[in-house]
Amino acid sequence: MGQSVTVNSVRYIAMLKDFFYPQLQRFEAYNRATWFPQDGATCHTSNASLAAVNEMFAGKLISRRGDIAWPPRSPDLTPPDFFKWGYLESKVYSNNPATINQLKTNICEEMAAIPRTMCQQVFTNLRFRFEECLQRNGAHLDDVIFKK
């Protein structure tokens, strides 16, 4: 049975190198133009983590201390925050996984099942959010919802 652990920079780097990056390379839309956004969590922005991410995404890191500084506290502009986590949580936990391995299997299956059209809608919505953010001089978008 798996166990819960706190994500630190060593575990984050291992997850990126052993799981995320190999999976990403199999994704048909991945290419050298792909940017990698991450928030400012300490495990993401340690010197070791940033070195590992920069190795994988040279010149294409959106992060605190990255190639492009991602605005702090910007869930309005972060697809994982305004869409993916809530969507995935509702799918991944629908069968109440009892072990870490079951949870991992659910995550992999549900990520693979996200339709391309849904991803396109998310990025259409993201463009709308950027425009709204500019019109509001960077203020949060409390009343903006996912548009179909």
Side-chain angles (χ1 to χ4, degrees):
M1 179 185 252
Q3 66 179 20
S4 296
V5 295
T6 300
V7 177
N8 59 28
S9 62
V10 171
R11 289 185 180 112
Y12 182 63
I13 293 166
M15 183 272 305
L16 289 173
K17 287 185 174 183
D18 299 339
F19 176 75
F20 177 77
Y21 196 65
Q23 290 293 320
L24 180 65
Q25 290 177 315
R26 292 185 203 124
F27 183 60
E28 66 182 58
Y30 171 73
N31 59 51
R32 292 186 186 267
T34 301
W35 284 79
F36 183 74
Q38 64 178 9
D39 64 22
T42 304
C43 64
H44 298 169
T45 58
S46 71
N47 290 336
S49 294
L50 286 173
V53 173
N54 277 315
E55 185 178 308
M56 291 178 251
F57 298 94
K60 301 287 186 189
L61 175 60
I62 302 170
S63 175
R64 190 174 64 121
R65 297 176 48 215
D67 301 297
I68 294 178
W70 192 259
R73 297 169 204 65
S74 58
D76 299 327
L77 303 177
T78 309
D81 287 328
F82 75 75
F83 165 71
K84 189 173 78 176
W85 301 133
Y87 175 80
L88 275 181
E89 184 176 22
S90 70
K91 298 289 191 174
V92 166
Y93 288 100
S94 65
N95 67 352
N96 297 318
T99 68
I100 296 293
N101 286 336
Q102 288 174 335
L103 179 62
K104 287 178 182 179
T105 298
N106 286 3
I107 292 169
C108 290
E109 288 174 357
E110 293 301 337
M111 285 293 295
I114 295 174
R116 178 182 214 88
T117 55
M118 186 177 287
C119 293
Q120 290 168 333
Q121 287 175 323
V122 168
F123 282 94
T124 296
N125 183 261
L126 181 60
R127 186 177 304 115
F128 168 75
R129 286 166 178 267
F130 285 150
E131 291 167 0
E132 282 289 314
C133 185
L134 287 172
Q135 289 176 7
R136 296 177 188 206
N137 295 318
H140 282 282
L141 311 179
D142 297 330
D143 58 337
V144 175
I145 60 170
F146 190 83
K147 306 271 188 207
K148 291 188 179 194

